[in-house]
Amino acid sequence: MDFLWVDFMGKPLWMWFFFIAIVLFLLVLDLGVLHKNSKEIGMAESFAFSAFYITLGVLFGGWIWWQSGPQAGVEYLTGFVIEKSLAMDNIFVIAMIFGYFAIPRAYQHRVLLFGILGVIILRGIMIAMGAAIVESYHWVLYLFAAFLVFTGIKMLFSSDSQYDVASNPILKIVRRYFPVTDKLEGDHFVVRKPDEKTGKLKTYITPLLLALIMVEFVDLVFAVDSIPAIFAITTDPYIVYTSNIFAILGLRALYFALSAMIERFVYLKYALAVVLVFIGSKIFVADMLDIAKIPPMLSLSITLGILATGIFGSLWATRNQTKKVDAE
């Protein structure tokens, strides 16, 4: 069993196996037991599962704190908070995708769950590449930091823009080269049915698969922001990957909990934009102050403060919307 202590990307193999075992257990539990059949997930169940995944992510951070020390623990928690917050922003776009394809809530969970499987693989590849690049060329961190500042400023001035699903180039390419059914075929991603011209059986993809492809594409786009953000906090691949995946694992539950009240988070994107600017500018500020890095606990506190201001400020500003709905 000595191989379990072999170093892999800065951590012994047993720590990677431990994390992978947790993820596989959660996926099997979710897909094979709790949500084996397609069904609509209620608000109470969504909040319960969301709380479960957040608690599990925080507990894992406590384990990293105990295993690798306070700095590693705080860096993980900071990364987890940022990734979870960016995942909340992702919910806005996912809701538009489901609305565009008219995906019933009963099938949305299936799309999100299979989307998670792709995310685990894609983000693993991107993080491994990012870690290798940063290790060989440390100055790349300054590019990441500048990109985050630029992205944050851009978000501040484009927060009201809507995501245009129909104009997405990936969607146009898929529709051009693959036959697509006119309507959903239950919870199937692919179906075999007679061709209208020849009468022979032909394989079609369904709008449900198109929605899944779009969700994967959107996550890839969001990863371009989120991965540099976490690398600006720590270059430890284990912390980067685990904080990413634990934040994403709860995305399904978080989506169903918040999708019905998305319009109330009017200031969330502004808060996220400020967080990106703060995380990106930390590296330059540390250089100006001639210190190695901004203290992790200070970074975590400021990040939580910005996000809490955005979330609670949004809920307070839109409090009358709930009263209007109740009155109607």
Side-chain angles (χ1 to χ4, degrees):
M1 300 293 286
D2 292 343
F3 77 95
L4 292 176
W5 273 260
V6 172
D7 181 270
F8 179 72
M9 298 183 71
K11 289 292 186 291
L13 275 176
W14 72 264
M15 290 184 67
W16 290 98
F17 288 150
F18 175 64
F19 170 69
I20 293 172
I22 293 175
V23 173
L24 289 176
F25 171 77
L26 291 173
L27 291 175
V28 170
L29 179 67
D30 200 333
L31 181 62
V33 180
L34 299 177
H35 302 104
K36 189 174 183 179
N37 300 316
S38 297
K39 64 175 183 177
E40 183 172 343
I41 299 178
M43 187 69 71
E45 183 180 358
S46 299
F47 275 113
F49 273 106
S50 187
F52 167 74
Y53 278 112
I54 291 174
T55 301
L56 193 61
V58 172
L59 288 176
F60 190 83
W63 178 77
I64 287 183
W65 188 309
W66 173 76
Q67 181 68 34
S68 303
Q71 179 169 327
V74 174
E75 288 175 347
Y76 166 89
L77 291 173
T78 305
F80 177 75
V81 169
I82 292 174
E83 296 302 327
K84 178 65 73 174
S85 303
L86 290 173
M88 289 177 64
D89 190 39
N90 206 352
I91 289 174
F92 290 79
V93 180
I94 292 175
M96 294 180 190
I97 292 173
F98 285 153
Y100 177 81
F101 291 107
I103 306 298
R105 288 178 65 87
Y107 299 151
Q108 290 175 7
H109 181 272
R110 180 176 173 83
V111 174
L112 291 174
L113 186 55
F114 278 97
I116 293 299
L117 297 176
V119 169
I120 291 174
I121 297 172
L122 287 174
R123 294 224 175 178
I125 295 172
M126 294 179 70
I127 288 171
M129 292 173 59
I133 292 173
V134 169
E135 184 176 358
S136 301
Y137 308 100
H138 185 75
W139 53 267
V140 171
L141 284 176
Y142 292 94
L143 292 181
F144 284 170
F147 175 74
L148 290 175
V149 173
F150 170 77
T151 302
I153 293 174
K154 184 179 178 182
M155 283 179 66
L156 283 173
F157 293 99
S158 62
S159 297
D160 295 330
S161 60
Q162 297 292 314
Y163 182 74
D164 188 358
V165 180
S167 64
N168 187 281
I170 299 298
L171 181 60
K172 292 180 178 179
I173 291 173
V174 173
R175 279 181 162 163
R176 180 176 180 180
Y177 292 102
F178 296 92
V180 182
T181 59
D182 296 328
K183 58 184 180 62
L184 291 171
E185 299 288 340
D187 61 358
H188 297 291
F189 292 117
V190 178
V191 294
R192 295 272 293 173
K193 56 189 303 186
D195 184 89
E196 294 181 356
K197 296 181 179 180
T198 64
K200 295 181 180 180
L201 285 177
K202 186 176 180 180
T203 301
Y204 289 82
I205 64 177
T206 70
L208 200 67
L209 181 58
L210 289 181
L212 175 59
I213 293 172
M214 290 299 298
V215 168
E216 293 285 9
F217 175 78
V218 165
D219 178 76
L220 192 61
V221 173
F222 272 83
V224 175
D225 291 338
S226 66
I227 290 178
I230 185 67
F231 269 115
I233 296 168
T234 177
T235 56
D236 186 331
Y238 188 80
I239 295 177
V240 173
Y241 188 60
T242 54
S243 61
N244 252 266
I245 300 306
F246 264 114
I248 294 297
L249 278 173
L251 178 62
R252 303 180 312 283
L254 192 64
Y255 171 81
F256 289 104
L258 299 181
S259 60
M261 49 189 294
I262 285 178
E263 68 282 352
R264 294 200 60 191
F265 293 95
V266 292
Y267 299 135
L268 178 59
K269 286 194 174 185
Y270 295 102
L272 291 174
V274 174
V275 167
L276 290 179
V277 172
F278 165 68
I279 295 299
S281 62
K282 282 195 314 117
I283 294 179
F284 300 108
V285 171
D287 281 356
M288 288 189 293
L289 296 177
D290 196 25
I291 57 177
K293 63 190 304 186
I294 302 297
M297 185 61 74
L298 178 61
S299 295
L300 177 59
S301 301
I302 293 175
T303 300
L304 286 173
I306 295 171
L307 293 172
T309 301
I311 292 173
F312 290 110
S314 296
L315 295 176
W316 176 258
T318 59
R319 64 191 184 281
N320 292 329
Q321 291 186 16
T322 303
K323 296 178 181 179
K324 289 180 180 179
V325 172
D326 292 340
E328 294 175 356

